[in-house]
């Protein structure tokens, strides 16, 4: 059998077409392509791919089921450990995880593990999944989960399967966290997120929206008055960072969080049918080089911006965004202003953005992160002619829960201090995981943390009996 | 869903709802706000809590019909519900015995001043309230404010009720007379709050204003409500909504509040054309 050195491409919408709509960019494998891609897997005994998966999916097993055309077995195998395969198959950085370790990667491209995971998950969703309601014991204990993003959903699903009565508390009006407000429809259709959340509801997980922990309830009240035996905090990294340069409060300057929330969660692209407005402008600069920056830039393009720039102070090699997202952004016509740092947002008398003053950078000696430090080139200042600026330079943890919970320790950055292995915090019965602990990271790492914490909560509550 | 238990028209285009919201009523403190959404297509709108009743499990909201969403809200009737209501958000007013507290409310801003005045009175303060509006017919909460104030001054721009002039006039008189004032709390249009700040500044009297910038989530997630206070950016939703009036960049606040002016007009027209009970044109 001769194996292709490259993974099978996933059909995609044409760049010119998709740059004007919000439908999903990647269309997914067909049955034929999926089978052919699965056949590339050597089913090697060592299965190094597995060590790259934060939730421990049995990758060779599910791929073997696809080879054998037993898709039900494939999805069951994945779902045993991963509650959100349709999400992970789309937004996991597989090239940094499972696929990085694939034996095929040594000579050519790894097996398209993420694409196959997505294929299996989409099959299951389209077929209509049967979800069994959890049978609770008479003395089943209640566990509260704060936040309905990847960490919270993963913890809730795992805890429900273990027989705990779980209530998820979500501050916004819709559950899903960053999967709903942050990641755009064209990368992760909201219908998929809601389908996964509905599966949790069918299992018996309760979801209380419009419930801001730290305001509507405190963690202490949940435990002392509302009868929750343990609490998992997965409140994420939702506090946007700004640059601290002049002009940042001008009209036309957005945090990426605000820009994306207006579009994704509030459907501002349907204004005025939907009540939330958004200002897009003709020329947009997005500051930052991560996935959120790519999402912001590609969203601005779809909302009708004529020119969209990524402004990033390091070089292409250091872009933290996934290669695939950078590639998609370039294909759609996003222009990359690399080795460029913003100095000031320029404005007019009415308080609107008229430009972004930048300076060119060059790479110097490596800094603490091991990456070469960008250094300003004297005299290279220039003004980028834009009318909208979106700041996507990262997010910190929202302090609402930490600041209102007695005995819960955080570090200097405001992240909750929790055990890597168990998610246990300084407060007995309170566990935490995901971005609120690690700082902004990936969906799958947050899911892994939620799962580990769920196991630790089970252990804690069992020991307490 | 959150039910409208009672509805009253306080003045032309100013409506009052008593909402069934036990979880919010249980925690609400003077100075805090809620965010509401009428229906699936609605925007998130912040409104200051005008009153709360823990026993009944209700909160009172007062709003002026100025944009598309508030116009739709005003069309809802008793017994009908809105989809989302979240809170209480923001930091409560710092209430203690300051001696004499002057509570200044302008227009619709009188509503959120009321629970603060009440709280200040309960804390043992001599509460002097100054409420003002353009004219008598749009002056609200006169009796309520009288009940929680030791002294009540009323001003109207046209002189149709109380003193003809602005809320800053009685305030200025108090300051000039050398009366010792522990704190001034002012809520109303930005221009009014700025004028109050400028009136008290020369006297060094601590002054607090409650800001109402544009917001989306109300929990610190979007940063849309950022406002410069003492040359430092603050988020009104989580760091406020109340700030030291002498440090607030009012000019920046005014500019940011104008950000969606053109869109507000088109949304208002859309809502007016697509009638009762919400934007049903794209119902799901």
């Amino acid at each position: 059998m001769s194996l292709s050195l490259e993974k099978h491409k996933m059909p995609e919408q044409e760049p010119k077409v998709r740059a004007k709509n919000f439908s999903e960019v990647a269309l997914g494998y067909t049955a034929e392509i999926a089978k052919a891609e699965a056949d590339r897997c050597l089913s090697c005994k060592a299965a190094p791919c597995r060590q790259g998966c934060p939730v421990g999916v049995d990758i060779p097993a599910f791929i073997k089921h696809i080879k054998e055309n037993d898709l039900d077995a494939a999805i069951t195998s994945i779902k045993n450990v991963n509650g959100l395969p349709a999400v992970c198959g789309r937004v996991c950085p597989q090239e940094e995880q499972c696929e990085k370790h694939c034996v095929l990667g040594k000579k050519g491209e790894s097996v398209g593990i993420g694409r196959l995971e997505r294929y299996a998950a989409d099959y299951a969703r389209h077929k209509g999944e049967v979800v069994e309601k959890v049978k609770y014991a008479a003395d089943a204990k209640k566990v509260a989960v704060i936040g309905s993003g990847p960490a919270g959903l993963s913890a809730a699903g795992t805890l429900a399967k273990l027989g705990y009565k779980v209530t998820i508390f979500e501050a916004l009006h819709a559950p899903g966290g960053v999967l709903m407000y942050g990641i755009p429809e064209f990368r992760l259709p909201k219908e998929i997120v809601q389908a996964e959340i509905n599966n949790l509801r069918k299992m018996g997980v309760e979801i209380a929206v419009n419930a801001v922990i730290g305001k509507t309830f405190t963690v202490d009240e949940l435990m002392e008055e509302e009868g929750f035996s343990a609490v998992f905090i997965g409140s994420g990294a939702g506090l946007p960072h700004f640059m601290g340069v002049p002009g940042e409060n001008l009209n036309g300057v957005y945090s990426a969080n605000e820009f994306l929330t207006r579009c994704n969660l509030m459907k501002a692209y349907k204004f005025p049918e939907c009540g939330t407005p958004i200002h897009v402008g003709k020329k947009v600069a997005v500051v930052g080089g991560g996935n959120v920056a790519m999402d912001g830039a590609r969203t601005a393009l779809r909302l009708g911006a004529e020119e969209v720039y990524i402004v990033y102070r390091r070089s292409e090699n250091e872009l933290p965004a996934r290669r695939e997202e950078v590639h998609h952004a370039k294909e759609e016509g996003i222009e990359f202003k690399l080795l460029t740092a913003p100095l000031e947002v320029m404005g007019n008398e009415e308080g609107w953005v008229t430009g972004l003053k930048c300076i060119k950078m060059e790479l110097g000696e490596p800094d603490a992160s091991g990456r070469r430090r960008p250094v300003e080139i004297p005299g290279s200042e220039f003004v980028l002619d834009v009318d909208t600026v979106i700041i996507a330079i990262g997010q910190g943890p929202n302090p609402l829960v930490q600041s209102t919970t007695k005995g819960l320790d955080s570090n200097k950055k405001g992240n909750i201090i929790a055990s890597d292995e168990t998610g246990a915090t300084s407060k007995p019965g309170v566990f935490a995981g995901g971005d609120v602990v690690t700082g902004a990271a990936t969906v799958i790492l947050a899911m892994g943390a939620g799962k580990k914490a769920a196991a630790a909560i089970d252990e804690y509550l069992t020991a307490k009996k | 869903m959150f039910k409208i238990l009672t509805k009253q028209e306080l003045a032309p285009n100013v409506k009052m709802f008593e909402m069934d919201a036990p979880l919010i009523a249980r925690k609400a403190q003077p100075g805090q706000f809620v965010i509401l959404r009428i229906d699936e297509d609605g925007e998130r709108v912040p409104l200051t809590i005008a009153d709360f009743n823990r026993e009944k499990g209700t909160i009172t909201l007062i709003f002026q019909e100025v944009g598309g969403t508030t116009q739709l809200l005003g069309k809802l009737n008793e017994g009908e519900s809105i989809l989302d209501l979240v809170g209480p958000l923001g930091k409560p007013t710092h209430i203690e015995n300051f001696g004499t507290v002057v509570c200044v409310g302008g227009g619709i801003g009188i509503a959120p001043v009321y629970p603060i005045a009440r709280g200040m009175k309960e804390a043992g303060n001599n509460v002097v309230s100054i409420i003002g509006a353009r004219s008598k017919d749009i002056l609200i909460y006169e009796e309520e404010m009288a009940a929680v104030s030791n002294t009540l001054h009323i001003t109207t721009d046209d002189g149709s009720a109380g003193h003809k002039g602005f809320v800053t006039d009685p305030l200025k008189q108090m300051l000039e007379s050398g009366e010792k004032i522990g704190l001034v709390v002012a809520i109303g249009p930005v221009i009014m709050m700025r004028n109050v700040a400028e009136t008290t500044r020369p006297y060094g009297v601590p002054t607090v204003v409650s800001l109402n910038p544009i917001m989306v989530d109300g929990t610190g997630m979007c940063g849309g409500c950022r406002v410069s206070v003492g040359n430092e950016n603050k988020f009104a939703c989580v760091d406020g909504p109340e700030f030291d009036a002498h440090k607030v960049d009012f000019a920046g606040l005014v500019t940011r509040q104008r950000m969606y002016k053109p869109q507000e007009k088109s949304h208002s027209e859309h809502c007016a054309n697509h009638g009762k009970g919400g934007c049903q044109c794209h119902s799901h």
Side-chain angles (χ1 to χ4, degrees), chain A residues 417-434:
Chain A
I417 300 169
S419 154
D420 275 353
E421 284 314 306
T422 65
T425 68
S426 57
K427 189 177 174 76
V430 177
F431 297 75

Side-chain angles (χ1 to χ4, degrees), chain A residues 171-174 181 209-212 214-218 221 225-226 238-240 242 248-255 257-258 261-262 265-267 270-280 349-352 391 398 400, chain B residues 2 23-24 26-27 32 37 40-44 69 83-92 214-217 219-224 226-228 233 235 238 255-260 263-264 266-267 270 279 281-282 284:
Chain A
L172 290 170
H173 57 259
Y181 74 73
V209 295
N210 294 321
V212 184
K215 292 288 178 188
T216 319
F217 295 101
T218 62
E221 284 166 348
E225 295 168 24
E226 302 295 324
L239 203 71
F242 286 88
E248 245 177 336
N249 288 4
L250 288 165
N251 285 347
V253 181
Y254 282 108
S255 72
N257 260 9
E258 181 180 2
T261 300
R262 282 181 181 272
L265 182 71
M266 304 310 300
K267 297 176 280 186
K270 286 210 260 170
F271 182 87
E273 284 82 8
C274 290
T276 305
I278 196 164
H279 165 84
V280 186
E349 281 174 7
E350 284 84 47
W352 281 89
I391 301 164
N398 192 317
L400 272 183
Chain B
F2 297 83
L23 290 180
I24 301 174
R26 200 174 67 133
K27 283 298 190 66
Q32 292 189 296
R37 208 165 68 111
E40 199 49 53
D41 288 342
E43 64 178 325
R44 294 173 65 96
T69 299
L83 185 57
D84 296 299
L85 191 61
V86 59
L89 300 171
K91 290 185 176 159
I214 291 166
M215 272 181 202
V216 183
D217 63 290
T219 63
M221 204 189 83
C222 80
R226 63 192 185 278
V227 57
S228 178
N233 255 349
F235 291 178
V238 287
T255 303
R256 285 188 66 77
Q257 279 187 331
R258 282 201 299 255
M259 176 140 175
Y260 297 104
Q263 285 98 328
E264 278 164 21
S266 75
H267 183 232
H270 175 86
C279 291
C281 49
H282 277 241
H284 300 276

Side-chain angles (χ1 to χ4, degrees), chain A residues 260-322:
Chain A
L260 290 170
T261 300
R262 282 181 181 272
C263 189
N264 297 332
L265 182 71
M266 304 310 300
K267 297 176 280 186
Y269 56 89
K270 286 210 260 170
F271 182 87
E273 284 82 8
C274 290
T276 305
I278 196 164
H279 165 84
V280 186
K282 289 202 165 92
K283 297 181 179 183
V284 180
V286 181
V287 181
N291 288 321
V292 175
M294 301 306 137
D295 286 346
R298 297 169 71 198
T299 297
L301 195 71
R302 284 161 171 77
L303 287 169
E306 288 162 14
E307 287 172 44
V308 183
Y309 307 99
I310 289 280
V311 175
Y312 180 59
R313 63 198 185 112
R314 300 177 194 255
S315 73
E316 172 126 16
N317 282 333
E318 287 82 22
L319 280 172
R322 292 183 70 191

Side-chain angles (χ1 to χ4, degrees), chain A residues 283-290 293-294 297 307-320 326 329-330 333-343 356-363 374 380-386 388:
Chain A
K283 297 181 179 183
V284 180
V286 181
V287 181
M294 301 306 137
E307 287 172 44
V308 183
Y309 307 99
I310 289 280
V311 175
Y312 180 59
R313 63 198 185 112
R314 300 177 194 255
S315 73
E316 172 126 16
N317 282 333
E318 287 82 22
L319 280 172
V326 173
K330 283 185 174 171
I334 308 289
E335 201 177 311
F336 283 68
K337 299 277 183 194
L338 300 168
L339 288 165
T340 303
L343 295 174
L356 184 65
K357 188 175 177 189
C358 301
I359 188 164
K360 298 296 276 177
M361 312 291 277
E362 60 188 354
L363 292 180
S380 66
E381 292 88 348
F382 69 100
V383 175
L384 195 60
D385 175 24
V386 293
T388 299

Side-chain angles (χ1 to χ4, degrees), chain B residues 141-183:
Chain B
Y141 258 43
E142 201 180 321
E143 282 173 31
E144 286 85 349
M145 286 301 291
V148 296
S149 309
N150 297 78
T151 311
L152 177 67
H153 296 279
I154 293 170
T155 68
T156 47
D157 297 6
D158 62 3
S160 53
H163 164 80
K164 181 178 187 313
F166 301 111
V167 287
T168 42
D169 298 343
L171 178 63
K172 204 164 186 189
Q173 276 175 16
M174 284 180 76
L175 291 163
E176 281 169 355
S177 74
E179 193 172 339
K180 193 169 167 2
I181 300 172
L183 181 74

Side-chain angles (χ1 to χ4, degrees), chain A residues 1 57 212 244 283 304 410:
Chain A
M1 191 163 57
V57 170
V212 184
K283 297 181 179 183
S410 305

